Structure formats: C-alpha cells, structure tokens
C-alpha cells in the first residue's frame, strides 16, 4: 500500500517535470498496487493520473480505454457514486479528444447514477459536463443543462460559472441564427444579458458577454466600449436605450398622445389670434474671445509624456523652430502618441490645399484611432468683425470649423488648437508651445495669442434684432424707407 502511494506521488511529480514515459510506468505500478490492496478510491485516483499522462502523450485511444476501465471497475462493485465519478472522467476525456457525442452520453449516464446515489454535487457536475459537450453540437440542449446547473449550485461560487455558461450558450445560438437572419434574436439577446447580469451580481467582476450581445445587435463599437457593467447594460436595454432599426431589442416606452394633442381644434386655428413669431428666438449666440488669465481654467494636471508626429502645410522653414521647441520640451518622451498639424503663414498662396490637407488629416486620424491631435496656426489671431480694413485671407476660422465638427463626429478624440500672430511667435514662443500640450490636457482646448496675450473662445447669448415690422394705417411710405 505504501509502495503504491509512493509510486503515485512519483508519477504526479514526473508528470509536472515532463517525463511522461517514466510517469506512466509509475502510474501503472500504483494502479496495480492499489488494485491488489483493494483500495478502489486510490485506484481511481491512480487511473485518473494515468489518463492525464496518456493525454499529454497524445495517446487518446489509451486515455479513453483507461476511463472506460475505471467505469467497469466501479460498476462491478455496484458503487453508483464512484461509477458516476468515473463516467464524469470519461466525459472529460472525450471532450479533450473532441468526441462530443460520447462526452454527452457519458454525462447523461453520470447524471442517472448521481440521482440514484442522491448526490446533488455530482448531479451538478453531470449537468455541467452535459452542457459543455452539448455546446459543440446542440445548443438547444446546452441551455436547459446550464439552467439546471444554476439551480443546483444556487448561492454557491459555482452559480456564477453556470450563469456565464448560460450566457455563452445563448450567444452561441444567437450567432448561429444570425447566419440565416440579419436581425439578432430578441429572446436570446435578453436571456444572455440576464445571465451576464446574474453572473456579475455574484462575481462583481466585469465580463464581456453583455458587450458581445450588444455587438451582435448592431450597436456601434464606440458605444459598446463606453457602456457600463452588465447590470447597467441590462437595464438600459429594457428601457429602450439601444433600440434601433438594426435590432429587435425593446423599444422605449413612449407615452401615447391624446387625440386633442395630436390634432388641432378650431380654436388653435383661429386666424384672429395669429401673430408673427421668430422660430430661432432665444437660440442665437455669438463667439467672443476672452483673456485666458481672467477665465481661471488652467491646466492643473501633471504634464504628460508624448511621442509626437509633426505635419505642416506650406514651406518647411516656417515650422522648423516650433518643431525644434516641441522636441526639446520635457513632454517629448516617446510615450503617448500625439499628432501636431501646423499651418504656416504663407497659407494664402495655397489656401484650398491647406483646407484639404486639414480635412484629410482629420479623416486619417479618425481611421487610425489616434486619440490626440493639435492644430497650430502661425501668423494669425482673431479679428474684430466690425473692422473693415484690408487684411490677408485668414485660415484659422476654417480650421476651427473642421475640428469642431470632428469633435462631434469622433467624440473619442481630443483635439486642440493653438494660434498666434507674428508678434506672439517672435517675441516669446514658449507660452504657445506649452499651450500645445495644455489644450489636450485641460478644458481650455482652443487658445489664440494676440500681442503675446492668450485668448479663449466663449459663447455669448446675443438676440437678433427684430427684422419684421408691422404695417399700420396712417404712416407714409417714407417713414418705412428711412
């Protein structure tokens, strides 16, 4: 007996070291020793070790034969509990050798024996083996099997694993149905989300099942990436947040309108109460540039480290000094990727090319999923629109329009803008170079310098003047033409 135990320990040690042939010899010696001593429990453990060695040696027929031998051993002594354990071993070996039908059959036999023995733990293991095997050839059987596992393992750590298996089975059936239908099945989607939510409630750790269901239902990957935990996703799906024409998820519960609210009555169409109205009244704003020192929105975060790529339009010599200043900055340490696009002061000679370069750069940055981009403008500052004196054609308004649209269409990007007139760049360029980093690290994402002082845009409510006048009797034509 002691020799057999030593042989079994040596077999397990040699198995870990990779000496499979020597481990097999020791496992066979241990099996024979325990058989001679009549210790069936240890004999089963020795046979389990021998099966593991056969699998490592890629000798799959021998592994299945050893498992069947263990079943016959316990069947001969009429021990249902031990025989059920051996059948589970057979199922495990068949799964590893890709004989899924045989694995399911062994799982069903193990379930029958576990019920005879009255062992709920073995019943749960048998249902689990049956579910894992059925996932490979019959998902309709895998789903109720995982549901039985969840019932038998309720209020135990195994319940979370069962719920994840149930979610995986529903997602498998969902994927299979998408092969013949463009819209994901609503019932499988809801049940997979429910199982993922239950698993999250037990484990309190993130799982990807809920996000996978959203992707199957045509939700954009950026929206999926920004979604919360499975519980929040499940609540949002039921409330109609992710409903669209691409899926069959529940739609929002809209309050039905009353007939008198939808169809106007005669009083609402009374022409005696008609009056002119301005539909955009209260929605008119103008942009003003305020000194940054008066706003108090500075960058309070520690300076990041960036690996910068420089692009420019126009002649290269206009952007050389700024490029050198950026490379010499402490933030240039080849860490996080950032692109700096410079528009030089000679843009008036190739205005359309500068505009298309900025637009194509934005498109390329969005496609490559680059997260940080800063536009730099040389030789320009904001101007007073009431000033009618002659000046060069300005470019920064077009650049600001493009990047503000890009922020809406690609919200995952952080886009900054730094501009300045010639006096600011020549007198002291250091604040402008530091602002290039500040615009992607703080809420002050657009800064323009004028005579060395920084300004940032602000929206100010400015009602439009009344453009309509009512004509009243008694006034001459000349009074309206003044």
């Amino acid at each position: 007996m002691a020799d057999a135990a030593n042989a079994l320990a040596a077999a397990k040690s040699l198995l870990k070291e990779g000496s499979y042939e020597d481990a097999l010899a020791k496992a066979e010696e241990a099996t024979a020793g325990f058989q001679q001593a009549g210790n069936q429990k240890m004999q089963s453990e020795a046979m389990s070790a021998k099966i593991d060695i056969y699998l490592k040696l890629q000798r799959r027929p021998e592994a299945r034969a050893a498992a069947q031998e263990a079943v016959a051993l316990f069947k001969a002594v009429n021990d249902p509990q031990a025989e059920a354990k051996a059948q589970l071993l057979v199922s495990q070996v068949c799964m590893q050798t890709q004989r899924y039908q045989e694995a399911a059959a062994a799982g069903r036999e193990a379930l029958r024996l576990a019920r005879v023995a009255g062992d709920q733990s073995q019943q749960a293991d048998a249902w689990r083996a049956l579910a894992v095997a059925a996932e490979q050839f019959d998902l309709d059987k895998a789903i109720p099997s995982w549901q039985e596992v969840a019932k038998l393992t309720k209020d135990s750590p195994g319940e979370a694993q069962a719920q994840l298996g149930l979610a995986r089975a529903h997602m498998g059936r969902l994927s299979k149905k998408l092969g013949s239908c463009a819209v994901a099945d609503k019932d499988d989607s809801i049940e997979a989300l429910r199982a993922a939510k239950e698993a999250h409630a037990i484990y309190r750790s993130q799982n990807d099942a809920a996000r996978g269901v959203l992707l199957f239902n045509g939700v954009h990957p950026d929206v999926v990436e920004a979604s919360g935990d499975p519980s929040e996703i499940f609540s949002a799906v039921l409330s109609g947040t992710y409903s669209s024409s691409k899926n069959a998820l529940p739609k929002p519960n809209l309050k039905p309108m009353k007939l008198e609210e939808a169809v106007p009555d005669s009083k609402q169409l009374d022409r005696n109460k008609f009056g002119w109205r301005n539909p955009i009244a209260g929605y008119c704003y103008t942009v003003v540039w305020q000194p940054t020192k008066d706003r108090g929105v500075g960058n309070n975060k520690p300076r990041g480290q960036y690996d910068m790529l420089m692009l420019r339009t126009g002649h290269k010599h206009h952007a050389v000094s700024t490029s050198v200043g950026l490379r010499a900055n402490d933030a240039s340490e080849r860490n996080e990727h950032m692109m700096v696009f410079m528009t030089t002061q000679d843009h008036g000679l190739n205005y359309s090319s500068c505009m298309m370069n900025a637009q194509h750069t934005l498109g390329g940055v969005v496609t490559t999923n680059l997260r940080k981009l800063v536009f730099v403008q040389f030789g320009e500052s904001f101007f007073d629109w009431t000033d009618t004196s002659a000046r060069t054609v300005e470019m920064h308004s077009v650049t600001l329009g493009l990047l503000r649209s890009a922020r809406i269409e690609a919200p995952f990007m952080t886009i900054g803008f730094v501009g300045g007139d010639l006096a600011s760049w020549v007198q002291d360029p250091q604040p402008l170079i530091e602002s290039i980093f500040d615009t992607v690290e703080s809420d002050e994402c657009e800064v323009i310098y004028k005579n060395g002082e920084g300004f940032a845009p602000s929206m100010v409510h400015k009602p439009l003047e009344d453009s309509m006048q009512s004509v009243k009797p008694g006034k001459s034509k000349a009074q309206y033409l003044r």
Side-chain angles (χ1 to χ4, degrees):
M1 183 73 173
D3 294 338
N6 292 334
L8 178 58
K12 292 181 178 179
S13 177
L14 291 169
L15 176 61
K16 291 181 180 179
E17 295 174 0
S19 302
Y20 302 132
E21 294 293 346
D22 295 337
L24 180 60
K26 289 292 184 182
E28 290 176 346
E29 179 184 345
T31 304
F34 289 128
Q35 183 178 5
Q36 185 177 0
N39 191 332
Q40 295 175 352
K41 181 179 180 181
M42 294 303 297
Q43 184 181 355
S44 172
E45 186 176 346
M47 294 184 75
S48 176
K50 188 162 70 169
I51 291 170
D52 291 337
I53 297 169
Y54 278 135
L55 291 174
K56 290 291 185 181
L57 290 170
Q58 300 295 320
R59 293 163 62 177
R60 295 177 177 176
E62 289 87 341
R64 286 193 295 272
Q68 294 291 350
E69 183 182 349
V71 171
L73 170 68
F74 294 112
K75 192 171 185 178
V77 297
N78 194 19
D79 188 348
Q81 188 172 9
E83 188 181 350
K85 182 178 180 181
Q87 288 287 0
L88 289 174
L89 194 60
V90 172
S91 178
Q92 180 183 357
V93 172
C94 291
M95 280 297 300
Q96 295 184 17
T97 56
Q98 299 180 356
R99 291 175 176 260
Y100 305 121
Q101 298 279 1
E102 295 180 15
R108 282 192 292 270
E109 182 63 18
L111 177 61
R112 184 186 69 79
L113 293 167
R115 284 174 174 171
V116 172
D119 190 335
Q120 284 201 349
S121 176
Q122 278 195 337
Q123 290 181 41
D125 292 338
W127 277 116
R128 186 179 294 107
L130 185 58
V132 172
E135 282 182 3
Q136 306 300 323
F137 65 90
D138 192 350
L139 289 166
D140 291 334
K141 292 181 180 178
I143 290 173
S145 298
W146 280 120
Q147 289 172 344
E148 291 296 331
V149 177
K151 290 179 183 177
L152 292 170
T153 57
K154 191 168 182 61
D155 299 328
S156 70
E159 184 183 2
Q161 182 187 3
Q163 293 292 352
L164 285 176
L166 180 59
R168 186 173 62 247
H170 278 293
M171 288 180 65
R173 192 163 70 174
L174 191 63
S175 176
K176 185 177 179 180
K177 290 181 179 179
L178 281 173
S180 57
C181 181
V183 179
D185 185 76
K186 175 183 176 181
D187 294 334
D188 280 323
S189 298
I190 297 298
E191 292 303 321
L193 289 170
R194 192 190 308 278
K197 176 182 76 76
E198 295 295 336
H200 177 264
I202 300 169
Y203 259 152
R204 289 297 175 191
S205 61
Q206 189 71 8
N207 59 71
D208 296 330
R211 294 183 177 180
V213 173
L214 294 182
L215 291 174
F216 277 140
N217 281 274
V219 181
H220 195 277
D222 291 339
V223 179
V224 175
E225 185 179 356
S227 61
D229 58 52
S231 300
E232 295 175 357
I233 294 176
F234 183 72
S235 301
V237 167
L238 293 184
S239 64
T241 303
Y242 297 107
S243 176
S244 69
S245 59
K246 299 179 181 179
N247 58 50
L249 295 177
K251 298 186 176 350
N253 293 325
L254 300 177
K255 181 181 178 182
M257 295 182 64
K258 296 181 180 179
L259 181 62
E260 55 270 20
E261 295 177 354
V263 181
D265 56 15
S266 59
K267 292 183 179 180
Q268 290 176 296
L269 299 178
D270 189 356
R271 290 182 177 273
N272 294 329
K273 297 181 179 180
F274 176 79
W276 291 103
R277 67 182 184 88
N278 187 356
I280 60 173
Y283 298 98
C284 299
Y285 295 84
T286 187
V287 177
V288 298
W289 293 88
Q290 298 177 337
T292 54
K293 63 182 181 180
D294 298 336
R295 292 162 63 93
V297 186
N299 183 11
N300 298 321
K301 300 179 181 178
R303 174 70 76 222
Q305 305 294 326
Y306 302 99
D307 183 8
M308 290 176 289
L309 173 65
M310 313 291 185
L311 296 180
R312 53 105 190 126
T313 60
H315 291 90
K316 184 186 296 184
H317 65 271
H318 291 302
V320 169
S321 59
T322 303
S323 300
V324 173
L326 285 170
R327 292 294 186 192
N329 195 281
D330 292 339
S332 179
E333 290 292 341
R334 295 186 178 275
N335 190 358
E336 188 176 1
H337 299 293
M338 182 173 76
M339 179 180 288
V340 180
F341 184 90
M342 304 181 189
T343 304
T344 57
Q345 54 263 43
D346 57 344
H347 58 78
L349 303 177
N350 47 12
Y351 194 83
S352 59
S353 298
C354 291
M355 187 188 307
M356 295 308 297
N357 283 339
Q359 185 170 349
H360 289 316
T361 299
L362 281 168
V365 168
V366 171
T367 303
T368 56
N369 203 21
L370 184 66
R371 298 306 177 104
K372 296 187 185 297
L373 170 65
V374 180
F375 285 89
V376 178
Q377 175 71 54
F378 297 108
E380 274 189 17
S381 183
F382 66 93
F383 59 90
D384 183 3
W385 61 273
T386 60
D387 184 6
T388 58
S389 59
R391 59 178 178 272
T392 59
V393 180
E394 51 88 24
M395 184 71 193
H396 73 273
S397 297
V398 177
T399 305
L400 288 172
L402 290 172
L403 67 89
R404 287 168 182 170
S405 299
R407 290 194 188 110
I408 298 173
E409 297 177 9
F412 62 89
M413 290 181 58
T414 303
I415 309 176
F417 176 84
V418 177
D421 55 6
L422 184 60
S424 301
W425 284 106
V426 172
Q427 180 182 2
D428 185 11
Q430 188 60 31
L432 287 85
I433 292 176
E434 292 295 334
S435 294
I436 293 175
F437 301 105
D438 289 336
T439 53
V440 295
E441 294 178 354
S442 68
D443 295 333
E444 206 75 280
C445 55
E446 297 174 8
V447 179
I448 286 186
Y449 283 81
K450 188 172 186 179
N451 296 327
E453 185 179 1
F455 293 83
S458 179
M459 299 289 289
V460 177
H461 184 260
K462 184 180 180 182
L464 293 177
E465 296 180 358
D466 190 5
S467 58
M468 299 180 184
Q469 294 182 357
S470 57
V471 179
K472 295 182 180 180
K475 288 187 178 181
S476 63
K477 180 179 179 182
Q479 288 178 301
Y480 291 106
L481 296 178
R482 283 185 301 180

